[in-house]
């Protein structure tokens, strides 16, 4: 099961590409993709790895997205 996170600010396509690249390269995430015109980030990971994955993903989003933060929006199958 994946988790969906709402972005707190708008990001560009270049920012989105860099965020996905870093998440896939630097975390234990099994999948990562932006949804709904880059307003949401969908992350898939093993249940026990979410805290580590999301801590790193939040840091990446904040740095690359000029202060963009994430808030939990729900689960996806």
């Amino acid at each position: 099961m994946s988790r969906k996170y709402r972005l707190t600010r708008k990001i560009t396509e270049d920012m989105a590409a860099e965020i996905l690249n870093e998440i896939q390269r630097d975390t234990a995430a099994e999948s990562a993709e932006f949804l709904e015109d880059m307003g949401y980030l969908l992350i898939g990971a093993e249940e026990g790895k979410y805290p580590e994955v999301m801590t790193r993903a939040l840091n990446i989003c904040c740095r690359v997205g000029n202060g963009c933060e994430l808030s939990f929006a729900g689960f996806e199958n």
Side-chain angles (χ1 to χ4, degrees), residues 6-65:
R6 182 178 303 110
L7 279 69
T8 60
R9 60 186 326 166
K10 197 81 166 152
I11 60 170
T12 66
E13 288 185 25
D14 289 340
M15 288 174 179
E18 179 63 23
I19 289 167
L20 291 178
N21 182 43
E22 288 194 32
I23 288 173
Q24 292 167 348
R25 183 186 67 215
D26 297 341
T27 74
E30 295 172 352
S31 62
E33 67 179 298
F34 283 99
L35 307 172
E36 301 174 34
D37 197 28
M38 294 184 293
Y40 290 87
L41 178 61
L42 186 64
I43 299 281
E46 290 180 29
E47 192 61 36
K49 296 196 182 236
Y50 269 106
E52 173 189 332
V53 168
M54 292 314 301
T55 296
R56 183 70 182 123
L58 177 59
N59 289 337
I60 292 167
C61 286
C62 188
R63 180 176 44 79
V64 176

